């Protein structure tokens, strides 16, 4: 079974760490290249490259096992120093060096995937140098993925103000997919930057694949303030102009201590208002808690994916 996971950031990587261990699926990850913050943003501006940070994270999440190279790829130079390397991720620097030397961004992904023994295929959504834009409900326009959550405003929609071309591999993966998984991750700045690319949006409309959205457990300050689970789903539906076959949400109880920790950051649980929806909802235990931080647990994701496939009516019997 061909399973394609669309997104970016830590959420997508968390899902992939679980899905890579599911027997009987051919896994592909379509990753946003719209990130313009931190080390990635500095390097893409200086070397005119697609953003590599999320691609690096996804490759590491799909690596068969942790190796010295994977540890090195995650190393970040201390931001508190005056060095020109301050804040840079070593993996991003390695990626940039290889891409600059070869002149072939896709080839670098293939080479590093082989070295890391990646279980699946990592596909950038586009090879273009792109800047994500958001139009707020009051008409304000914000340019840059990293700037969007900084405004105390409500996002109406995200878009690109120039023509953006999808990679052929991304479009082919969607058309050949049996199941497309969207999430987990920032709705407007990790998931939708892939889905609003015209060729990908059209492929999502045309594909016969079952479409699944893994909903966030907590709201994101500056991006989904006050959002219910329905609001998250509606944001996806509004942008893709297609239906969803299943929405998966975490049902794990969250302790008062953890909730108070998130409240200090103006982040709150994402819950459904009602039980009546035009799409089916599957509630699963999916989370683990690390030092008061909520993360999607890769073991729970792996075990729960069989139930996801059963809910979709897929014929594959996952062991």
């Amino acid at each position: 079974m061909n399973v394609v996971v669309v997104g970016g950031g830590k959420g997508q990587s968390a899902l992939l760490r679980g899905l890579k261990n599911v027997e009987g699926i051919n896994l592909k990850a379509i990753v946003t290249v719209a990130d313009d913050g931190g080390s990635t943003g500095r390097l893409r501006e200086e070397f005119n490259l697609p953003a590599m940070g999320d691609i690096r994270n996804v490759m590491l999440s799909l690596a068969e096992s942790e190796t010295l190279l994977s540890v090195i790829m995650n190393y970040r130079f201390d931001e508190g120093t005056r060095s020109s390397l301050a804040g840079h991720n070593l993996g991003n620097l390695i990626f940039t060096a290889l891409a600059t030397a070869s002149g072939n961004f896709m080839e670098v992904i293939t080479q590093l995937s082989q070295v890391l023994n990646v279980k699946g295929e990592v596909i950038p959504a586009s090879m273009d140098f792109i800047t994500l834009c958001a139009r707020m409900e009051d008409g304000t326009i914000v340019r840059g993925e990293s700037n969007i959550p900084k405004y105390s405003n409500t996002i109406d929609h995200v878009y690109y103000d120039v023509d953006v071309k999808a990679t052929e591999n991304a479009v082919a993966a969607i058309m050949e997919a049996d199941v497309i998984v969207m999430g987990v991750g920032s709705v407007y700045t990790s998931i939708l930057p892939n889905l609003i690319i015209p060729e990908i949006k059209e492929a999502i409309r045309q594909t016969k694949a079952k479409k699944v959205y893994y909903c966030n457990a907590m709201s994101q300050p500056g991006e989904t303030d006050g959002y219910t689970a329905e609001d998250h789903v509606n944001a996806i539906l509004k942008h893709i102009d297609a239906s969803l076959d299943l929405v998966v949400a975490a049902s794990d109880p969250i302790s008062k201590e953890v909730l108070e920790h998130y409240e200090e950051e103006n982040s709150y649980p994402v819950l459904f208002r009602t039980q009546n929806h035009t799409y089916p909802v599957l509630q699963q235990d999916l989370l683990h808690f690390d030092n008061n931080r909520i993360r999607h647990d890769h073991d729970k994701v792996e075990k729960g994916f069989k139930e996801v496939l059963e809910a979709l009516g897929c014929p594959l019997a996952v062991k």
Side-chain angles (χ1 to χ4, degrees):
M1 177 176 290
N2 293 321
V3 176
V4 175
V5 182
V6 182
K10 294 179 180 178
Q12 184 186 27
S13 295
L15 283 187
L16 291 170
R17 283 191 173 90
L19 295 179
K20 72 179 180 182
N21 295 318
V22 176
E23 294 185 27
I25 68 172
N26 176 34
L27 192 58
K28 296 183 180 181
I30 297 176
V31 188
T32 176
V33 290
D35 184 11
D36 62 354
S39 171
T40 296
R42 290 160 61 189
L43 290 171
R44 83 172 204 149
E45 287 287 342
E46 185 171 349
F47 294 93
N48 197 32
L49 292 170
M52 75 292 292
D54 286 332
I55 292 173
R56 184 201 77 250
N57 280 328
V58 166
M59 285 195 297
L60 294 174
S61 70
L62 287 173
E64 186 169 6
S65 61
E66 186 174 74
T67 64
L68 176 60
L69 179 59
S70 65
V71 173
I72 290 173
M73 292 279 286
N74 258 337
Y75 178 79
R76 187 176 298 276
F77 292 93
D78 187 356
E79 294 185 4
T81 68
R82 296 183 178 181
S83 168
S84 59
L85 295 176
H88 270 306
N89 180 284
L90 184 54
N92 288 349
L93 295 174
I94 292 172
F95 209 110
T96 301
L98 292 173
T100 302
S102 69
N104 190 323
F105 195 81
M106 288 292 295
E107 183 180 323
V108 174
I109 295 175
T110 300
Q111 291 172 341
L112 288 176
S113 294
Q114 291 173 346
V115 173
L116 291 167
N117 202 13
V118 164
K119 298 173 69 174
E121 183 179 354
V122 180
I123 306 170
S126 175
M127 291 298 295
D128 295 343
F129 186 91
I130 56 180
T131 299
L132 185 68
C133 301
R135 184 180 182 88
M136 303 298 177
E137 287 189 351
D138 65 0
T140 301
I141 303 297
V142 181
R143 289 179 53 84
E145 181 267 345
S146 62
N147 292 323
I148 291 171
K150 295 177 181 179
Y151 285 75
S152 297
N153 212 322
T154 302
I155 300 171
D156 181 74
H157 66 277
V158 290
Y159 65 99
Y160 296 113
D161 58 1
V162 296
D163 292 334
V164 178
K165 183 174 178 59
T167 59
E168 293 181 1
N169 288 1
V171 174
I174 291 170
M175 295 306 297
E176 295 167 2
D178 297 298
V179 176
I180 296 172
V181 175
M182 307 171 195
V184 181
S186 305
V187 174
Y188 291 106
T189 55
S190 288
I191 302 172
L192 288 174
N194 301 287
L195 301 176
I196 61 173
I197 297 175
E199 291 153 308
I200 291 180
K201 183 175 181 178
E202 184 61 25
I204 291 288
R205 286 166 53 88
Q206 292 184 11
T207 184
K208 295 180 179 179
K210 299 289 186 180
K211 293 177 278 293
V212 182
Y213 170 56
Y214 274 74
C215 191
N216 287 6
M218 303 295 290
S219 64
Q220 291 186 274
E223 186 163 337
T224 55
D225 294 300
Y227 269 40
T228 63
E230 287 92 348
D231 293 329
H232 280 75
V233 176
N234 290 337
I236 298 290
L237 295 176
K238 176 181 179 178
H239 284 78
I240 66 173
D241 194 23
S243 61
L244 291 171
D245 297 287
L246 185 66
V247 174
V248 182
S251 59
D252 311 64
I254 304 174
S255 70
K256 181 180 178 180
E257 183 181 13
V258 172
L259 289 176
E260 289 176 347
H261 178 81
Y262 274 86
E263 286 175 6
E264 292 176 358
E265 302 173 357
N266 293 318
S267 179
Y268 300 89
V270 174
L271 304 173
F272 285 97
R273 284 190 303 258
T274 72
Q275 296 181 343
N276 299 318
H277 306 102
T278 58
Y279 43 84
V281 176
L282 177 62
Q283 300 271 357
Q284 291 185 324
D285 284 345
L286 291 171
L287 307 178
H288 80 270
F289 304 92
D290 181 15
N291 194 27
N292 287 337
R293 304 303 300 183
I294 299 174
R295 298 287 183 260
H296 277 71
D297 184 277
H298 56 267
D299 288 330
K300 291 182 178 181
V301 169
E302 177 189 351
K303 294 175 182 177
F305 196 63
K306 179 178 180 179
E307 187 181 7
V308 170
L309 294 179
E310 290 172 350
L312 292 170
C314 295
L316 177 67
V318 179
K319 297 180 180 180

